[in-house]
Amino acid sequence: MKTVKIILVNLCRLALALTFVFSGFVKAIDPQGTQYKLQDYLTALSLQGFVPDAVTLLAAVALAAIELTMGIMILFAIERRRISKFVVAFMAVMTLITVWIFFANPVKDCGCFGDAIHLTNGQTLAKNIVLMACALIVVRWPLLMPRLISKTNQWIITNYTLLYILATSAWCLWDLPTFDFRPYHLGANILKGMTIPKGAPQPKFTTTFILEKHGVKKEFTLDNYPDSTWTFIDSKTVQTAPGYVPPIHDFSIEDQQGNDITQQALHHKGYTFLLIMPHLEQADQSQFGDINEIYDYAVDHHYPFYCLTASDEKARQKWEDMTGAEYPFYTCDETTLKTIVRSNPGLVLLKDATVIGKWSHNRLPKEIMSDKPLNELSIGQLNPDSVAKRVTEIFLWYVLPLFLLSLVDRIIVNIKRRKDIFVSHKNNRTMRKKIVAGNWKMNMNLQDGVALAKEINAACAADKPNCGVIVCTPFIHLASVAQVLDQNVVALGAENCADKAKGAYTGEVSAEMVKSTGAQYVILGHSERRQYYHETPEILKEKVQLALANGLKVIFCCGETLEEREANKQNEVVKAELDGSVFNLSADEWKNIVLAYEPIWAIGTGKTATSDQAEEMLAYIRSIVAEKYGKQAAEDTTILYGGSCKPGNAKELFAKPDIDGGLIGGASLKAADFKAIIDAWK
Ligand code: 13P
């Protein structure tokens, strides 16, 4: 069941991540396309005049940045809880918008994937319902998404992604979209794009006729048209099926007299320049000198040159006065012009009606200055960058720097950690005690337990540990194990003690009895005792008091269940456990407390908390100890981690600044494993 849940959450995570990365990226490389789409929405709401172009453009860039960053964060599981909530909120808004466009039909294409993929309003709604369901699944169990990158490096990924997407948008605005998904891309033949292939579906229409007889009106079709005793009143024709619409269906050029010269322009053999300026009033004038030179070049080499615009005669006059333009103006549909090239002005070079060059006004072709004919220049040949090249560029500009930055971050973190270790070694006096403690639980008979204790003692005597070592055994082992341990090297502890000092409590073992065996420690508050023996915070409070009163040091455990962690209640739970049983102690008593954070979901399950998760909790625990007993006491408190700690992960866990060692269950039952964990401090 758990595995199914993990698979489900991660499939949803993947679906959300890939969708957002893709939709963010296609928007970022064509901010103007997204801006036009936003303007379509404003027009549908009759708000077009109220929002300045700069605002819609900024909104387009922001939308791309949000979507891509969100996708990357979900993919890498960065800030899992927060980002999944954000995704739900984002999807809720988007789904509402798509419900509106599905029913009201204000725009034909939602624009989710720019020009890369066009969806009908029904398809968009279905897509968003699926994504919303994925978002709800992810937000329910965000911690089931494993992190792909350590917490320390997460900020790099998020910030660099944001920077990358803003830089990409800026570049594509200054130049042209890196990928051109429109029907006028390099290599596209406009005449071909306008052709309706033979056998393509034709639009279907149905006509109904309204006729009258004896004052009764009735509707008929051609199939059941009645006899002449009926009088014709009216007819209506509706389209019942759409026909094939070619990719280019609205390209037409008119000269100043209103003559359609589209065919003439497109059937020209050889090169043709199109200067595209949807709106002369908003066109950038900074490059007018270069544009005039390109026109002169075209005239010198007898290449037709058309300036296509949707602006009126007055605007043309003004443009000519301001720029000294001598080229001829032609009229073309504004939306078509905006689709052809995302630059105002932008230049397009056709050869036999095929688009072989496109330039923004910021990057007009300089080769033309050489005055050679186009067929001798590289710009006269169709030479688009291959998709592989562009994808490689994206890789080099995004993935590689990310990798390098993460590497640098790792190196800095390591240097810092070494420095910290060096400083803490120097300030040995104030360094809190590091401990590795074994909790044998109910696993061994007396003979096996004594043998294990001997083995551990011998191993630690032969190779002095860099930390305190404790073995906590069942009651029946204590006295015998005490005989075989050198407690200067391996200290002894019990796994429990009674909540009563003395008396008629059959089967119980008091703190005093434990102490009398030679033991120095006792584990209290272990989740197994809370769960199976119903030890409440009040009972534990009694036990702690009695243990301390009898000169025992207490290893006090706390930790949350999986459900509590999934509900993000771990801090709350742990704080309540400490509040209920140990935060009542005096500052002096506190000096004899060792804390152990043991997430219940990690105990004996083989599922360790990651070193980041453990560190986060131990740092939190230290912070609440500081609130209660002051900063210095918190600095001096030893806090252990417990839960599937083994030789393979001990080093990483102990490397964390707040983790002072481990409380080891299963792995403390084998001397070699226990010793390997002890050696993680070396
Ligand atoms: P494991 O190391 O077997 O997960 O047990 C941890 C524990 O409960 C120590 O007290």
Side-chain angles (χ1 to χ4, degrees):
M1 187 58 201
K2 180 81 196 291
T3 321
V4 173
K5 220 162 39 176
I6 293 177
I7 293 174
L8 181 69
V9 167
N10 285 287
L11 282 178
C12 293
R13 160 205 195 173
L14 207 63
L16 289 166
L18 296 183
T19 310
F20 287 135
V21 167
F22 182 69
S23 65
F25 184 74
V26 292
K27 286 191 183 87
I29 57 165
D30 186 10
Q32 274 175 303
T34 315
Q35 179 193 25
Y36 297 149
K37 188 47 74 184
L38 291 177
Q39 286 168 340
D40 286 350
Y41 280 101
L42 291 175
T43 309
L45 292 166
S46 312
L47 289 173
Q48 65 276 33
F50 298 101
V51 186
D53 288 353
V55 173
T56 44
L57 188 59
L58 271 179
V61 175
L63 188 62
I66 290 171
E67 286 189 21
L68 196 113
T69 312
M70 203 162 64
I72 290 292
M73 285 179 81
I74 271 281
L75 186 65
F76 282 85
I78 294 173
E79 294 280 338
R80 293 171 287 191
R81 284 188 221 113
R82 217 169 292 164
I83 195 62
S84 41
K85 281 183 198 148
F86 187 84
V87 169
V88 169
F90 185 85
M91 280 317 303
V93 174
M94 290 301 162
T95 310
L96 282 180
I97 294 177
T98 44
V99 168
W100 167 58
I101 63 170
F102 178 71
F103 287 108
N105 218 15
V107 291
K108 275 212 262 8
D109 167 28
C110 63
C112 299
F113 300 123
D115 285 302
I117 300 175
H118 292 281
L119 297 179
T120 64
N121 291 343
Q123 287 166 333
T124 299
L125 180 60
K127 169 198 72 130
N128 278 3
I129 289 172
V130 172
L131 290 181
M132 184 74 213
C134 290
L136 289 172
I137 290 172
V138 165
V139 81
R140 176 71 187 80
W141 299 289
L143 299 182
L144 294 186
M145 297 187 281
R147 287 195 183 110
L148 291 193
I149 187 117
S150 81
K151 226 177 166 185
T152 31
N153 281 334
Q154 291 183 345
W155 68 273
I156 301 184
I157 306 279
T158 328
N159 291 319
Y160 186 70
T161 300
L162 213 57
L163 193 76
Y164 172 81
I165 208 72
L166 294 178
T168 302
S169 292
W171 171 260
C172 293
L173 271 176
W174 190 78
D175 189 16
L176 295 176
T178 333
F179 290 88
D180 189 346
F181 298 108
R182 283 157 289 128
Y184 301 90
H185 57 82
L186 287 188
N189 185 289
I190 299 183
L191 279 173
K192 229 192 223 159
M194 293 164 77
T195 315
I196 299 182
K198 270 202 198 100
Q202 298 292 323
K204 288 203 178 100
F205 300 93
T206 310
T207 304
T208 29
F209 304 92
I210 302 157
L211 289 94
E212 192 186 79
K213 186 173 170 180
H214 308 312
V216 180
K217 278 187 191 159
K218 227 174 142 187
E219 284 191 9
F220 298 92
T221 62
L222 275 179
D223 296 335
N224 63 351
Y225 203 83
D227 59 28
S228 56
T229 55
W230 288 77
T231 315
F232 175 82
I233 304 286
D234 200 0
S235 72
K236 53 183 182 198
T237 303
V238 286
Q239 186 171 357
T240 51
Y244 171 81
V245 181
I248 299 178
H249 50 269
D250 46 10
F251 183 85
S252 85
I253 307 176
E254 277 184 10
D255 66 14
Q256 303 212 29
Q257 287 71 47
N259 303 314
D260 188 330
I261 60 139
T262 317
Q263 294 304 318
Q264 172 197 330
L266 292 179
H267 281 98
H268 172 77
K269 286 274 165 252
Y271 296 104
T272 303
F273 283 101
L274 304 179
L275 177 65
I276 310 287
M277 289 199 273
H279 274 299
L280 292 172
E281 299 85 339
Q282 290 151 14
D284 187 294
Q285 295 166 17
S286 57
Q287 312 299 327
F288 75 85
D290 285 357
I291 294 174
N292 291 349
E293 265 185 59
I294 293 169
Y295 173 63
D296 291 343
Y297 169 86
V299 172
D300 289 350
H301 290 84
H302 309 291
Y303 302 132
F305 188 108
Y306 301 91
C307 175
L308 307 185
T309 180
S311 291
D312 60 14
E313 183 55 33
K314 211 169 119 206
R316 295 175 191 186
Q317 288 286 335
K318 197 167 165 208
W319 179 264
E320 282 173 346
D321 293 346
M322 279 189 313
T323 64
E326 291 175 357
Y327 35 80
F329 287 93
Y330 295 84
T331 305
C332 192
D333 175 64
E334 181 192 340
T335 309
T336 306
L337 293 176
K338 284 177 170 176
T339 311
I340 294 175
V341 63
R342 300 288 200 218
S343 179
N344 184 17
L347 186 69
V348 174
L349 180 60
L350 303 181
K351 188 178 182 191
D352 304 335
T354 296
V355 180
I356 63 163
K358 266 179 155 186
W359 298 271
S360 98
H361 59 83
N362 290 313
R363 292 186 88 202
L364 290 168
K366 300 281 178 228
E367 290 92 328
I368 277 172
M369 309 305 166
S370 74
D371 224 30
K372 286 186 188 158
L374 280 171
N375 56 359
E376 289 178 24
L377 297 176
S378 63
I379 60 158
Q381 325 304 324
L382 175 62
N383 205 2
D385 283 347
S386 69
V387 173
K389 181 171 172 246
R390 279 173 289 163
V391 171
T392 311
E393 272 171 12
I394 293 167
F395 181 84
L396 290 179
W397 279 104
Y398 184 57
V399 184
L400 201 64
L402 261 191
F403 176 74
L404 292 176
L405 283 170
S406 308
L407 206 69
V408 170
D409 181 75
R410 270 285 96 165
I411 293 168
I412 293 172
V413 167
N414 270 331
I415 292 174
K416 205 167 159 286
R417 216 185 64 217
R418 269 160 213 243
K419 222 166 110 193
D420 286 349
I421 291 172
F422 177 71
V423 170
S424 53
H425 274 296
K426 262 180 59 180
N427 301 340
N428 222 356
R429 217 165 42 84
T430 58
M431 212 171 83
R432 58 183 169 260
K433 194 165 179 180
K434 310 297 181 198
I435 291 176
V436 172
N439 175 8
W440 288 2
K441 307 191 181 179
M442 198 176 75
N443 282 302
M444 270 178 297
N445 64 28
L446 179 63
Q447 289 72 28
D448 289 347
V450 171
L452 176 62
K454 274 188 190 160
E455 231 186 307
I456 292 170
N457 194 68
C460 291
D463 177 19
K464 283 264 158 27
N466 257 1
C467 61
V469 177
I470 307 168
V471 288
C472 297
T473 76
F475 294 133
I476 61 132
H477 295 69
L478 288 172
S480 311
V481 167
Q483 303 297 314
V484 300
L485 291 182
D486 170 0
Q487 289 214 39
N488 292 319
V489 185
V490 183
L492 179 64
E495 296 173 14
N496 185 22
C497 70
D499 60 337
K500 300 286 186 291
K502 190 181 190 84
Y505 299 103
T506 306
E508 284 297 292
V509 176
S510 70
E512 190 198 344
M513 293 171 177
V514 169
K515 181 70 184 174
S516 70
T517 63
Q520 303 178 43
Y521 289 86
V522 60
I523 297 174
L524 293 175
H526 195 283
S527 59
E528 287 150 14
R529 296 228 44 101
R530 293 181 197 257
Q531 189 181 349
Y532 306 131
Y533 303 98
H534 314 294
E535 293 191 356
T536 61
E538 293 71 34
I539 294 175
L540 291 169
K541 194 170 167 182
E542 288 302 316
K543 291 190 174 193
V544 171
Q545 292 286 358
L546 286 165
L548 294 178
N550 283 285
L552 289 170
K553 291 191 171 109
V554 174
I555 301 174
F556 189 81
C557 305
C558 56
E560 79 287 350
T561 61
L562 185 59
E563 288 69 32
E564 286 161 346
R565 176 159 276 265
E566 282 175 356
N568 197 18
K569 288 194 173 140
Q570 62 273 29
N571 290 4
E572 203 178 302
V573 168
V574 163
K575 185 167 189 300
E577 287 174 341
L578 297 178
D579 265 337
S581 308
V582 287
F583 274 176
N584 58 307
L585 299 174
S586 69
D588 253 5
E589 287 171 324
W590 184 260
K591 289 185 184 144
N592 291 313
I593 298 286
V594 170
L595 294 179
Y597 166 67
E598 297 202 320
I600 298 170
W601 45 273
I603 295 178
T605 57
K607 204 173 170 292
T608 336
T610 63
S611 54
D612 287 328
Q613 278 172 327
E615 169 62 15
E616 193 174 292
M617 282 308 292
L618 267 62
Y620 168 71
I621 293 171
R622 202 175 297 290
S623 75
I624 54 175
V625 173
E627 275 169 28
K628 195 78 203 161
Y629 295 101
K631 206 160 180 307
Q632 192 53 53
E635 277 305 308
D636 293 343
T637 302
T638 297
I639 312 182
L640 310 179
Y641 165 78
S644 301
C645 181
K646 346 177 234 280
N649 57 22
K651 216 178 183 107
E652 191 191 337
L653 286 161
F654 298 172
K656 294 290 174 188
D658 281 291
I659 302 181
D660 301 321
L663 180 54
I664 321 297
S668 72
L669 299 175
K670 277 198 189 134
D673 285 353
F674 192 52
K675 180 66 171 42
I677 296 174
I678 293 166
D679 286 346
W681 278 118
K682 288 209 163 164

Short mmCIF file of all heavy atoms in Angstrom, two decimals, residues 252-262 264 330-331:
data_model
loop_
_atom_site.label_atom_id
_atom_site.label_comp_id
_atom_site.label_asym_id
_atom_site.label_seq_id
_atom_site.Cartn_x
_atom_site.Cartn_y
_atom_site.Cartn_z
N SER A 252 -2.39 37.89 -46.57
CA SER A 252 -2.71 38.56 -47.83
C SER A 252 -2.11 39.97 -47.81
O SER A 252 -2.06 40.61 -46.75
CB SER A 252 -4.21 38.61 -48.06
OG SER A 252 -4.76 39.70 -47.40
N ILE A 253 -1.61 40.37 -48.97
CA ILE A 253 -0.95 41.68 -49.06
C ILE A 253 -1.75 42.55 -50.02
O ILE A 253 -2.08 42.12 -51.14
CB ILE A 253 0.49 41.53 -49.61
CG1 ILE A 253 1.27 40.49 -48.79
CG2 ILE A 253 1.21 42.85 -49.63
CD1 ILE A 253 2.67 40.21 -49.33
N GLU A 254 -2.02 43.77 -49.60
CA GLU A 254 -2.72 44.72 -50.48
C GLU A 254 -1.84 45.93 -50.70
O GLU A 254 -1.19 46.41 -49.76
CB GLU A 254 -4.01 45.19 -49.81
CG GLU A 254 -5.15 44.23 -50.00
CD GLU A 254 -6.44 44.76 -49.40
OE1 GLU A 254 -6.49 45.94 -49.00
OE2 GLU A 254 -7.39 43.97 -49.31
N ASP A 255 -1.86 46.43 -51.94
CA ASP A 255 -1.10 47.67 -52.15
C ASP A 255 -1.95 48.86 -51.71
O ASP A 255 -3.08 48.69 -51.24
CB ASP A 255 -0.62 47.77 -53.61
CG ASP A 255 -1.78 47.90 -54.58
OD1 ASP A 255 -2.92 48.19 -54.12
OD2 ASP A 255 -1.57 47.72 -55.80
N GLN A 256 -1.39 50.07 -51.92
CA GLN A 256 -2.07 51.25 -51.36
C GLN A 256 -3.41 51.53 -52.04
O GLN A 256 -4.25 52.26 -51.53
CB GLN A 256 -1.14 52.46 -51.45
CG GLN A 256 0.15 52.16 -50.73
CD GLN A 256 0.76 53.38 -50.10
OE1 GLN A 256 0.07 54.31 -49.72
NE2 GLN A 256 2.08 53.38 -49.99
N GLN A 257 -3.57 50.93 -53.27
CA GLN A 257 -4.85 51.13 -53.97
C GLN A 257 -5.86 50.05 -53.59
O GLN A 257 -6.97 50.00 -54.13
CB GLN A 257 -4.64 51.07 -55.50
CG GLN A 257 -3.94 52.28 -56.10
CD GLN A 257 -2.47 52.33 -55.74
OE1 GLN A 257 -1.78 51.33 -55.84
NE2 GLN A 257 -2.01 53.50 -55.28
N GLY A 258 -5.48 49.14 -52.73
CA GLY A 258 -6.41 48.09 -52.29
C GLY A 258 -6.36 46.86 -53.17
O GLY A 258 -7.22 45.99 -53.05
N ASN A 259 -5.37 46.77 -54.08
CA ASN A 259 -5.26 45.56 -54.93
C ASN A 259 -4.53 44.46 -54.18
O ASN A 259 -3.51 44.72 -53.54
CB ASN A 259 -4.47 45.86 -56.21
CG ASN A 259 -5.11 47.00 -56.97
OD1 ASN A 259 -6.33 47.03 -57.14
ND2 ASN A 259 -4.29 47.97 -57.37
N ASP A 260 -5.05 43.24 -54.29
CA ASP A 260 -4.42 42.10 -53.62
C ASP A 260 -3.22 41.65 -54.44
O ASP A 260 -3.37 41.20 -55.58
CB ASP A 260 -5.44 40.96 -53.48
CG ASP A 260 -4.90 39.84 -52.62
OD1 ASP A 260 -3.67 39.64 -52.60
OD2 ASP A 260 -5.71 39.17 -51.93
N ILE A 261 -2.02 41.77 -53.89
CA ILE A 261 -0.82 41.38 -54.65
C ILE A 261 -0.13 40.16 -54.02
O ILE A 261 1.04 39.91 -54.28
CB ILE A 261 0.16 42.58 -54.74
CG1 ILE A 261 0.58 43.01 -53.32
CG2 ILE A 261 -0.41 43.75 -55.50
CD1 ILE A 261 2.04 43.33 -53.25
N THR A 262 -0.87 39.43 -53.20
CA THR A 262 -0.29 38.29 -52.48
C THR A 262 0.38 37.30 -53.44
O THR A 262 1.55 36.93 -53.26
CB THR A 262 -1.39 37.53 -51.68
OG1 THR A 262 -2.22 38.49 -51.05
CG2 THR A 262 -0.79 36.60 -50.66
N GLN A 264 1.30 37.60 -56.53
CA GLN A 264 2.43 38.20 -57.26
C GLN A 264 3.68 38.19 -56.37
O GLN A 264 4.77 37.80 -56.80
CB GLN A 264 2.03 39.63 -57.64
CG GLN A 264 3.16 40.45 -58.24
CD GLN A 264 2.81 41.94 -58.19
OE1 GLN A 264 1.63 42.33 -58.25
NE2 GLN A 264 3.82 42.79 -58.07
N TYR A 330 2.74 48.28 -47.76
CA TYR A 330 1.62 47.43 -48.14
C TYR A 330 0.83 47.09 -46.88
O TYR A 330 1.39 47.10 -45.78
CB TYR A 330 2.11 46.14 -48.82
CG TYR A 330 2.81 46.43 -50.12
CD1 TYR A 330 4.15 46.78 -50.13
CD2 TYR A 330 2.12 46.38 -51.33
CE1 TYR A 330 4.81 47.09 -51.31
CE2 TYR A 330 2.76 46.68 -52.52
CZ TYR A 330 4.10 47.04 -52.51
OH TYR A 330 4.74 47.35 -53.68
N THR A 331 -0.43 46.76 -47.08
CA THR A 331 -1.27 46.47 -45.92
C THR A 331 -1.40 44.97 -45.69
O THR A 331 -1.56 44.21 -46.65
CB THR A 331 -2.68 47.07 -46.13
OG1 THR A 331 -2.49 48.45 -46.42
CG2 THR A 331 -3.55 46.92 -44.89
#
